[in-house]
Amino acid sequence: MPLMTGKTAALALAIAATASVLATVSSADASEGEAATPPLAWGTCEGADHDARQECAALSVPLNYHDPDGKRITLAVSRVRSERPAARRGTLLLIPGGPGGSGLNRPTTYGKRLPRSVRDAYDLVSFDPRGLGGSTHAGCGLAEEDLSLVRARPWPAADGDITENVATARRIADACARNGGDLLPTLSTVNEARDIDSIRRALGERKLSAWGTSYGTYVGSVYAQLYPEHTDRWVLDSNDDPDPTRVERGWQANWAVGAEDTFPAFARWASAPGGPGRLADTPAGVRRRVLDLAARLDTEPLEWKGANPPELNGNVLRQSVLAALYSRSQYEGLARLIKDADDGKVPGAVPPDLTQDSTAVSFGILCNDVEWPRSVSAYARDVAAGRASHPLTAGMPVNIGPCAFWPYEPRDKPVRITDRGPSNVLLVQNRHDPATPYSGALNLRRAFGDRARMVSVDATGHGAAYVPAPYASPCADRAVTDYLVRGERPVRDVSCPGPEEAP
């Protein structure tokens, strides 16, 4: 999903390799010239926050795949090799989310979640997408105030007015036009799929297996459509709606659906007798308390020194609620925030700002992938309707953003996901997901047709497979492991109990 909040660490690569990579859109000519592609030169990764076995390399790819002999940029690539080389069957690409999410440390962080049998079977490989972290950087030179998540996401004013959102959207789009350089217009899902195929060829692999999460499910779907013959065992977890007429526009709007889908689980938890975060006697009482507190903070914000903005207002609370719904592990912290705010206190820890590169990549992909409406009055009408129908998100998911004033036209049409290709996709999806709702995942399942099988988990949160204990679904984990290790994919779609119901 858009606008990741984690900071992207810079990487210095000890050994840089240049790779002459064939530029291609079509899968028909993807294998031509692969024998001439030099292998990656692996070296030590800088820093100490990764597995000591993790290696890093640099890969040169075209800035513009339509001009393969022109300017080139660098992708930072990482890997942790199979823990038992005799059992190795290939490479598992860990596709990061976002857009705007780093992948470089995923062989370490996500690798720890994987069972030993998967780590034995695969080299774990990931990368920083173009524009991010150790890869060639993108940036819009945004003012500090526009790196606040609550401002970058278009939360309307307390009365629903969007005047300030329009000004912010114009300011960000103008800054990106001035400062984005020649990299910003190339940020897109199609180019990320092309970059992945460049990585595949540099690895010397005829096929890749993959585990893509969140936005990475759309990247993985596009890759599987453009390069089907280079996909092996393809796992997509927490799936985006692939509707080619909307893509990111639809995903942002889906936050309203996802919040309403997942808030009841928090409300039940926060009304449980004797629970650690009890806020009310009933789930309905929890909802009233949250909405009433947000309304009060709209008009009576609490000073929050050092935060951006320096206050705890209604929209900061609404954003905090939406963020906490991503994982049940965040419920207790949200309940504490609500209790403290009711008592006139603010948290001690200040939320981190977005980074320049993650924000530029997020907006670049959001705005370059598909055309967005330009009518300010239409956005205002949508916000008014959203505030009435989905009060938890108060119209934000359908509000105006920089894409309404974006200076670039999409260079590639959105890819339509179809049932043409190998039947080798496994979708994994929670039934209650705040960021990628189940309804959108079902649309991806229908688009793939017989190419895919789906494992639906009766659980709440963003992320269905290999979730840390105690929130894991053994049923979902077993299905993914069986497929990745033994190639045993369910013969039909299956339903898994949630962690609290699992045997």
Side-chain angles (χ1 to χ4, degrees):
M1 290 300 298
L3 294 174
M4 301 293 288
T5 59
K7 289 186 179 285
T8 307
L11 171 75
L13 297 169
I15 300 177
T18 58
S20 176
V21 180
L22 177 69
T24 181
V25 182
S26 168
S27 60
D29 61 358
S31 60
E32 184 179 336
E34 290 184 20
T37 302
L40 291 166
W42 296 101
T44 303
C45 300
E46 186 181 76
D49 59 342
H50 51 74
D51 188 315
R53 295 170 304 134
Q54 182 170 299
E55 303 171 287
C56 291
L59 173 64
S60 172
V61 299
L63 171 69
N64 179 359
Y65 280 89
H66 298 294
D67 181 18
D69 297 322
K71 183 175 179 180
R72 302 182 76 80
I73 59 172
T74 298
L75 299 180
V77 186
S78 60
R79 77 173 175 188
V80 170
R81 295 189 189 191
S82 163
E83 295 187 17
R84 192 158 68 92
R88 182 188 181 276
R89 67 169 309 275
T91 291
L92 181 67
L93 183 72
L94 308 178
I95 307 176
S102 170
L104 205 65
N105 263 359
R106 284 198 168 213
T108 292
T109 57
Y110 276 63
K112 291 176 182 176
R113 301 187 190 180
L114 297 170
R116 176 64 184 268
S117 58
V118 175
R119 301 197 309 269
D120 285 347
Y122 294 96
D123 293 345
L124 306 181
V125 171
S126 194
F127 62 102
D128 275 347
R130 59 171 59 202
L132 275 172
S135 297
T136 300
H137 270 230
C140 290
L142 299 181
E144 182 181 356
E145 64 180 5
D146 291 330
L147 294 174
S148 163
L149 183 60
V150 79
R151 185 183 292 273
R153 287 184 177 173
W155 292 96
D159 61 357
D161 183 73
I162 69 168
T163 302
E164 186 174 348
N165 303 123
V166 172
T168 299
R170 286 187 186 276
R171 184 169 62 249
I172 291 175
D174 289 347
C176 289
R178 284 195 311 273
N179 305 316
D182 54 6
L183 179 58
L184 194 67
T186 75
L187 300 175
S188 72
T189 302
V190 170
N191 273 342
E192 187 163 333
R194 292 166 173 147
D195 287 342
I196 287 173
D197 205 57
S198 295
I199 292 170
R200 176 191 65 78
R201 283 176 273 139
L203 291 169
E205 297 281 14
R206 187 173 66 87
K207 290 186 176 184
L208 295 173
S209 292
W211 178 27
T213 57
S214 194
Y215 167 68
T217 66
Y218 182 60
V219 176
S221 297
V222 169
Y223 184 88
Q225 192 66 39
L226 294 178
Y227 305 96
E229 71 275 27
H230 295 305
T231 60
D232 189 9
R233 297 173 185 175
W234 218 245
V235 178
L236 304 178
D237 182 340
S238 304
N239 297 276
D240 278 315
D241 189 329
D243 179 355
T245 66
R246 291 173 58 80
V247 284
E248 285 92 345
R249 288 172 50 204
W251 306 343
Q252 182 170 303
N254 268 344
W255 271 323
V257 176
E260 297 293 344
D261 280 354
T262 52
F263 187 83
F266 170 74
R268 288 192 299 272
W269 177 88
S271 59
R278 198 167 196 228
L279 298 174
D281 294 336
T282 64
V286 173
R287 184 181 178 92
R288 282 195 301 273
R289 182 170 181 178
V290 169
L291 292 176
D292 288 349
L293 175 60
R296 186 165 78 249
L297 291 172
D298 280 337
T299 56
E300 302 172 16
L302 301 173
E303 183 182 10
W304 195 354
K305 292 181 180 178
N308 183 16
E311 63 181 25
L312 175 54
N313 57 38
N315 284 336
V316 172
L317 178 66
R318 294 181 185 99
Q319 176 58 48
S320 299
V321 170
L322 181 58
L325 295 177
Y326 277 53
S327 171
R328 292 169 66 97
S329 65
Q330 303 299 314
Y331 286 4
E332 194 164 346
L334 175 60
R336 187 164 52 250
L337 170 64
I338 292 166
K339 289 177 180 179
D340 285 348
D342 259 336
D343 292 338
K345 302 181 216 173
V346 296
V350 172
D353 281 347
L354 302 166
T355 61
Q356 291 283 356
D357 58 351
S358 67
T359 307
V361 170
S362 181
F363 283 132
I365 292 174
L366 291 175
C367 303
N368 290 336
D369 267 6
V370 67
E371 292 184 0
W372 289 64
R374 302 274 178 171
S375 169
V376 172
S377 60
Y379 284 105
R381 289 193 298 271
D382 289 344
V383 166
R387 284 165 58 82
S389 61
H390 298 86
L392 288 171
T393 46
M396 179 275 289
V398 291
N399 200 1
I400 197 166
C403 298
F405 306 106
W406 201 242
Y408 311 110
E409 296 292 328
R411 294 186 173 185
D412 296 289
K413 292 181 179 179
V415 174
R416 181 178 295 278
I417 307 304
T418 74
D419 59 1
R420 296 188 297 277
S423 184
N424 63 354
V425 179
L426 181 64
L427 308 178
V428 194
Q429 180 71 35
N430 285 338
R431 292 185 181 272
H432 309 283
D433 187 316
T436 56
Y438 190 61
S439 54
L442 289 176
N443 286 340
L444 181 60
R445 173 67 184 89
R446 282 187 284 268
F448 270 126
D450 195 51
R451 295 179 67 187
R453 302 291 183 269
M454 187 168 185
V455 176
S456 301
V457 186
D458 191 14
T460 299
H462 191 51
Y466 303 130
V467 177
Y471 309 109
S473 167
C475 169
D477 291 355
R478 187 165 53 250
V480 175
T481 300
D482 286 348
Y483 184 44
L484 288 176
V485 176
R486 290 182 289 278
E488 298 173 0
R489 193 183 63 164
V491 296
R492 60 183 62 85
D493 293 354
V494 299
S495 294
C496 288
E500 61 274 15
E501 302 173 69

